[in-house]
């Protein structure tokens, strides 16, 4: 029964109601003894009259009362007044988290500002053995000062009697965040093990945290349905829509962190709240560094022929048309990449500016270009309206602008016209060959082109589901137009990604990728992307070094601003021991893709023995991407080879900590320990790698590193030969690897190089 203002409960005077839930009614009250306001939660009569439940509840409450953390609402006492049982708690004034979330999601800085203190609250509570078990937006408050406060921590551990279940559920059946037709309340935030009635632990809170974080980023819940049964089925079986499909600006690490929290199997989730908080803090530091490191813009003659094509805005009514606007952006970039006298920034460095707050000058400064193209796409039925304008970044002056209102079938002509006008405005000379290739249409079937664009949109998300969808779209496009070379290029990339992420066997993926790339070149010998795809297939799957080099050179000749082609060609040169060429190629790739990291450059510098330069270059990238294991491993080896052994080992250890799987970096740490005079530590690592109880065996290729460090060259060679027989893709780099240098004089190593056509 609700309490009226002025009612007394012991020393507490009720002021006004604050809300109600399945575990009781909450009131603002005055502590007449200490003269402070508190929150009072009056427990239902069914709780107060059940001795067993009440005893367990009070035991749990004593534990929760011991929590002392700025992001957890403090529980003061559990009291009784004339048979009325109630809790007294810290009074928090503000808004619940569900009142903060917008339909489009919050800015990333705001997301992290809420998520990190929430994760820190979990760290503190889990450290005391307290699990929330009912983490949801209405149980998280944001005070007027912006502080996050978690309510009802740990009290959900005590299950109410069976007679209370319906009341509890009914009391949580409304939520401002829920759309009509959804299952409402606590259920959408339950972990699979809770739904199945299994034991819940700290990882259960991490699943709920993942749902909250997904909602903060995207504005929607990951698991939805028209009925409770639908929601349950979605939580138990469905993968949520990928973050990049709903929002473009979050770093890849944000999507990865959410994905780790939302693993159905608790064993596959992030295991501790501390790991979760640390990963979020890494993302936050990276964003802060990026925001503070934009160099001042300086115009120069070099900048005059450089351009960044910013993502075209989708002005259509259908959000789903984003794929089409992104496709127009990428294809204009591809057209401009054909011009030898232009420097064109790659897709991966311009796409982060899709939802941009920076000025044109600031963007140009970050990308080191003198000119920017921006535009918009509006598609209605079979018509398309494209607006494009070329801007001088220093002065803000418009160099050229045009509006195209055409049939959808004219989309290729529009792209060509835009590229030709930009070239003319920037005084970039076009050869007859370049002009002819600009006018060549990739396909005459607009429907096939749309399927290709959808496939490419899935391709960039790098999940198993997205890879499979991309393959499906590319194959459907080819079905409509068997001569569509770009669709074959997409297939080759998708199959290679499937193999590199262990979603498909090397034998299966390699054959399909090689066949698709060869088909692309046969269909369009003048397509740079086709030669790049075939070059990588030849390098990675066939050890056809001469054929790969010819393809990479031709790819760069046809698309002189293709950062991807320069980078892959650089990796091949490094594998062959041609380090100066590799470094020059990687430098050119970085110039065209300035927001990428410097790992490839630093690795080639290491292989060339230029350790101090490697440490300097990779150190710059670590400031931007401190959570990338390869950067820390590369810095570790640079320091190690400079004689700074302890610092080097510390960076290698950090790579192990940051890595999800860890085998590559763990084995390199083992090798370094052996080389540093710590063979016992190296053997401990070796035992971990060879442990037969592991879920998956370590690759013999990485085990070879530890044996090499221990000086056991025969076992190291055994591992490398097994890796070759198993088709391990990383093996292509062994000739240029400084880690395997002690094996170079071994006859079996020479024989292995011969089998790989590396002699």
């Amino acid at each position: 029964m609700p309490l009226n203002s002025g009612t007394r409960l012991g020393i507490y005077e009720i002021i006004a109601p604050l809300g109600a839930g399945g575990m009781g009614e909450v009131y603002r009250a005055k502590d007449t003894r200490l003269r402070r306001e508190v929150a009072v939660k009056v427990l239902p009569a069914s709780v107060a009259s059940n001795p067993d439940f009440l005893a367990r509840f009070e035991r749990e409450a004593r534990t929760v009362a011991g929590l002392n953390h700025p992001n957890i609402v403090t529980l003061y006492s559990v009291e009784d007044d004339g048979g009325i049982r109630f809790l007294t708690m810290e009074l928090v004034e503000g808004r619940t988290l569900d009142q903060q979330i917008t339909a489009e999601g919050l800015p990333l800085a705001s997301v992290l500002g809420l998520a990190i203190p929430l994760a820190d609250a979990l760290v503190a509570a889990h450290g005391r053995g307290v699990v929330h078990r009912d983490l949801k937006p209405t149980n998280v408050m944001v005070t007027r000062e912006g502080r996050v406060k978690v309510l009802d921590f740990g009290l959900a551990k005590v299950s109410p009697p069976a007679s209370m279940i319906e009341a509890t559920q009914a009391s949580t059946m409304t939520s401002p965040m829920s759309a009509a037709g959804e299952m409402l309340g606590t259920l959408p935030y339950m972990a699979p093990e809770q739904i199945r009635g299994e034991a819940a632990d700290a990882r259960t809170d991490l699943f709920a945290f993942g749902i909250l974080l997904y909602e903060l980023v995207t504005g929607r819940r990951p698991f939805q349905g028209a009925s409770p049964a639908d929601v349950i089925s979605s939580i138990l079986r469905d993968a949520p829509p990928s973050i990049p499909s709903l929002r473009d600006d979050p770093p890849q690490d944000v999507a990865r962190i959410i994905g780790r929290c939302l693993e159905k199997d608790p064993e596959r989730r992030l295991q501790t709240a501390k790991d979760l908080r640390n990963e979020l803090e890494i993302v936050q530091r990276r964003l802060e560094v990026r925001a503070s490191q934009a160099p001042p813009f300086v115009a120069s003659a070099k900048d005059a022929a450089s351009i960044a094509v910013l993502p075209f805005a989708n002005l259509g009514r259908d959000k789903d048309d984003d794929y089409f606007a992104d496709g127009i952006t990428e294809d204009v970039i591809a057209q401009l990449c054909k011009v030898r006298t232009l420097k064109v920034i790659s897709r991966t460095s311009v796409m982060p500016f899709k939802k941009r707050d920076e000025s044109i000058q600031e963007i140009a400064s970050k990308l080191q270009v003198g000119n920017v193209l921006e535009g918009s796409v509006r598609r209605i039925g079979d018509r398309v309206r494209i607006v494009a304008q070329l801007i001088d970044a220093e002065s803000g002056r418009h160099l050229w602008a045009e509006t195209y209102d055409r049939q959808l079938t004219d989309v290729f002509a529009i792209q060509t016209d835009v590229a030709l006008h930009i070239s003319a405005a920037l005084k970039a000379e076009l050869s007859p060959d370049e002009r002819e290739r600009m006018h060549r249409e990739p396909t005459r079937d607009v429907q096939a082109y749309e399927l290709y664009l959808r496939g490419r949109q899935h391709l960039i998300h790098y999940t198993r589901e997205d890879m499979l969808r991309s393959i499906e779209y590319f194959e459907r496009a080819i079905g409509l137009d068997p001569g569509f070379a770009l669709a074959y290029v997409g297939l080759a990339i998708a199959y290679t990604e499937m193999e590199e992420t262990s979603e498909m066997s090397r034998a299966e993926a390699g054959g399909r990728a090689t066949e698709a790339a060869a088909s692309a070149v046969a269909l369009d010998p003048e397509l740079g992307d086709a030669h790049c795809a075939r070059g990588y297939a030849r390098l990675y799957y066939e050890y056809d070094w001469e054929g790969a080099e010819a393809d990479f050179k031709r790819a760069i000749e046809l698309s002189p601003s293709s950062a991807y082609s320069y980078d892959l060609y650089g990796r091949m040169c490094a594998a062959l021991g041609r380090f100066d060429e590799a470094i020059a190629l990687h430098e050119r790739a970085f110039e065209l893709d300035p927001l990428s990291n410097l790992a490839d450059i630093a690795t080639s510098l290491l292989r060339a023995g230029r350790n101090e330069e490697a440490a300097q270059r990779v150190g710059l990238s670590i400031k931007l991407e401190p959570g990338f294991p390869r950067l820390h491993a590369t810095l570790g080896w640079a320091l190690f080879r400079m004689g700074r052994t302890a610092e080097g080992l510390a960076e290698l250890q950090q790579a192990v900590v940051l890595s999800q799987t860890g085998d590559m970096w763990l084995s390199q740490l083992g090798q370094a320990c052996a080389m540093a005079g710590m063979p016992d530590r190296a053997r401990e690592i070796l035992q971990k790698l060879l442990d037969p109880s592991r879920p998956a065996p370590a690759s013999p290729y990485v085990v070879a590193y530890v044996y090499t460090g221990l000086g056991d060259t025969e076992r190291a060679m055994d591992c490398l030969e097994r890796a070759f027989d198993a088709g391990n893709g990383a093996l292509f780099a062994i000739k240029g690897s400084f880690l395997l240098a002690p094996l170079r004089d071994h006859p079996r190593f020479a024989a292995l190089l011969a089998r790989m056509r590396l002699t």
Side-chain angles (χ1 to χ4, degrees), residues 442-615:
T443 177
R444 294 184 178 180
D445 191 316
V446 175
Q447 187 178 354
Y449 178 64
E450 290 194 67
L451 290 169
Y452 164 73
L453 293 184
R454 288 187 181 275
R456 194 161 63 181
Q457 191 77 352
H458 282 283
L459 187 62
I460 64 175
H461 295 151
Y462 301 109
T463 67
R464 172 182 172 80
E465 292 76 15
D466 280 307
M467 289 296 111
L468 292 174
R469 290 294 301 278
S470 72
I471 289 170
E472 175 191 344
Y473 278 121
F474 293 141
E475 289 179 339
R476 287 172 60 189
I478 292 168
L480 292 176
D481 181 2
F484 195 0
L486 274 174
Y488 282 101
V489 172
L491 271 183
I493 296 172
Y495 281 125
T496 299
E497 289 292 339
M498 290 286 284
E499 187 269 327
E500 288 186 347
T501 55
S502 303
E503 299 292 351
M504 186 177 287
S505 71
R506 180 176 173 84
E508 183 180 7
R512 294 183 180 185
T514 301
E515 182 182 355
S519 296
V521 174
L523 289 167
D524 189 355
E526 303 297 303
L527 182 61
D529 287 348
H531 285 278
C532 182
R534 188 173 70 173
Y536 190 59
R538 284 174 161 176
L539 164 70
Y540 194 72
Y541 296 112
E542 301 178 343
Y543 304 126
D544 179 2
W545 306 95
E546 292 182 0
E549 183 160 23
D551 269 323
F552 289 140
K553 286 182 175 179
R554 183 59 175 155
I556 291 170
E557 182 182 0
L558 293 169
S559 296
S561 286
S562 172
Y564 192 51
S565 296
Y566 283 105
D567 189 58
L568 292 180
Y569 189 13
R571 293 185 199 180
M572 193 204 79
C573 288
L576 293 172
R578 292 156 44 184
F579 302 123
D580 289 342
E581 292 177 70
I583 292 166
L585 288 163
H586 290 318
E587 293 279 15
R588 177 59 176 162
F590 183 74
E591 183 181 350
L592 297 168
D593 192 5
L595 298 188
S596 64
N597 66 59
L598 293 159
D600 281 345
I601 297 175
T603 300
S604 291
L605 286 167
L606 268 183
R607 290 174 173 174
R610 295 157 61 176
N611 302 315
E612 292 186 9
E613 291 179 69

Side-chain angles (χ1 to χ4, degrees), residues 8 48 60 145 159 207 218 269 271 311 329 356 362 383 401 494 511 534 550 563 619 659 710 739-740 751:
R8 294 290 291 260
E60 197 64 32
E145 297 75 31
S159 301
F207 189 90
T218 68
R269 280 178 216 151
Q271 294 296 291
T329 306
R356 56 185 181 272
E362 290 170 329
R383 295 196 65 83
R534 188 173 70 173
S659 175
L710 290 168
L739 297 176
L740 300 176

Side-chain angles (χ1 to χ4, degrees), residues 13 56 69 138 157 169 205 222 261 267 441 556 562 635:
E13 180 180 337
R56 287 185 287 122
H69 190 274
T138 51
K157 180 178 181 181
Q169 183 72 330
D205 281 351
C261 289
E267 294 295 327
E441 295 185 353
I556 291 170
S562 172
L635 178 59

Side-chain angles (χ1 to χ4, degrees), residues 1-79:
M1 180 175 178
L3 301 178
N4 297 321
S5 176
T7 301
R8 294 290 291 260
L9 292 177
I11 63 171
Y12 304 98
E13 180 180 337
I14 301 300
I15 298 174
L18 292 175
M23 291 301 292
E25 298 163 342
V26 185
Y27 298 89
R28 176 193 293 267
K30 181 180 179 180
D31 182 336
T32 58
R33 180 182 298 167
L34 299 177
R35 299 183 183 278
R36 65 177 178 181
E37 290 192 349
V38 298
V40 168
K41 175 177 278 192
V42 179
L43 302 181
S46 54
V47 173
S49 62
N50 188 310
D52 292 337
F53 178 79
L54 188 60
R56 287 185 287 122
F57 187 89
E58 291 186 349
R59 284 198 302 271
E60 197 64 32
R62 283 194 292 272
T63 302
V64 176
L67 296 177
N68 182 15
H69 190 274
N71 299 117
I72 299 176
V73 171
T74 303
L75 174 63
Y76 295 144
S77 64
V78 180
E79 303 197 26

Side-chain angles (χ1 to χ4, degrees), residues 33-314:
R33 180 182 298 167
L34 299 177
R35 299 183 183 278
R36 65 177 178 181
E37 290 192 349
V38 298
V40 168
K41 175 177 278 192
V42 179
L43 302 181
S46 54
V47 173
S49 62
N50 188 310
D52 292 337
F53 178 79
L54 188 60
R56 287 185 287 122
F57 187 89
E58 291 186 349
R59 284 198 302 271
E60 197 64 32
R62 283 194 292 272
T63 302
V64 176
L67 296 177
N68 182 15
H69 190 274
N71 299 117
I72 299 176
V73 171
T74 303
L75 174 63
Y76 295 144
S77 64
V78 180
E79 303 197 26
D80 182 4
D81 182 48
I84 298 176
R85 292 281 183 167
F86 61 95
L87 311 175
T88 65
M89 299 172 289
E90 173 188 4
L91 178 65
V92 179
E93 296 186 277
R95 298 197 301 165
T96 52
L97 196 59
D98 59 295
Q99 297 171 313
Q100 302 274 332
I101 300 172
T102 66
E104 299 78 23
L106 299 178
L108 193 56
S110 300
V111 170
L112 295 170
L114 295 168
I116 290 173
L118 178 55
D120 206 43
L122 293 180
V123 172
H126 293 174
R128 296 288 299 272
V130 179
V131 181
H132 197 293
R133 291 174 171 80
D134 193 24
L135 194 61
K136 56 187 177 183
T138 51
N139 272 339
V140 181
M141 291 282 290
V142 182
T143 70
R144 293 170 180 172
E145 297 75 31
R147 183 180 294 279
V148 171
K149 290 278 189 177
V150 184
L151 312 178
D152 287 350
F153 222 122
L155 299 182
K157 180 178 181 181
V158 184
S159 301
S163 61
M164 292 176 57
I165 294 292
E166 291 183 6
T168 301
Q169 183 72 330
S171 68
T172 58
M173 288 289 286
T174 58
S175 168
M177 296 168 53
S178 303
E182 290 183 11
M183 171 60 185
L184 313 178
T186 300
L187 178 57
Y189 300 93
M190 286 185 178
E193 60 270 22
Q194 286 178 295
I195 291 173
R196 291 191 293 263
E198 299 168 356
D201 58 23
R203 295 170 299 180
T204 303
D205 281 351
L206 299 190
F207 189 90
F209 185 99
I211 295 176
L212 285 176
L213 186 55
Y214 185 102
E215 203 163 6
L216 288 169
V217 171
T218 68
R220 56 171 285 172
R221 291 174 181 157
F223 307 108
Q224 300 186 14
S227 69
D230 291 337
V231 177
I232 289 171
S233 177
S234 183
I235 292 173
L236 293 176
R237 298 176 179 83
D238 295 346
S242 68
I243 300 293
S245 71
L246 301 174
R247 178 171 174 171
D248 298 294
D249 59 326
Q252 187 176 356
D253 276 351
V254 173
R256 178 181 59 79
I257 291 168
I258 292 173
R260 292 291 307 284
C261 289
L262 295 182
E263 288 283 356
K264 311 293 187 188
D265 182 355
E267 294 295 327
R268 297 179 62 84
R269 280 178 216 151
L270 282 169
Q271 294 296 291
T272 70
K274 184 177 292 186
D275 288 339
L276 172 62
R277 182 200 60 196
N278 291 345
E279 293 222 25
L280 291 169
E281 287 179 338
I282 288 170
V283 175
Q284 187 180 58
R285 287 198 301 271
R286 184 184 309 161
L287 290 175
E288 290 171 349
V289 170
R290 282 179 174 164
S292 65
Q293 295 220 342
F297 178 78
V298 179
S300 68
K302 179 182 178 182
D303 294 322
S306 57
I307 184 172
V309 180
L310 299 185
F312 278 49
N314 171 28

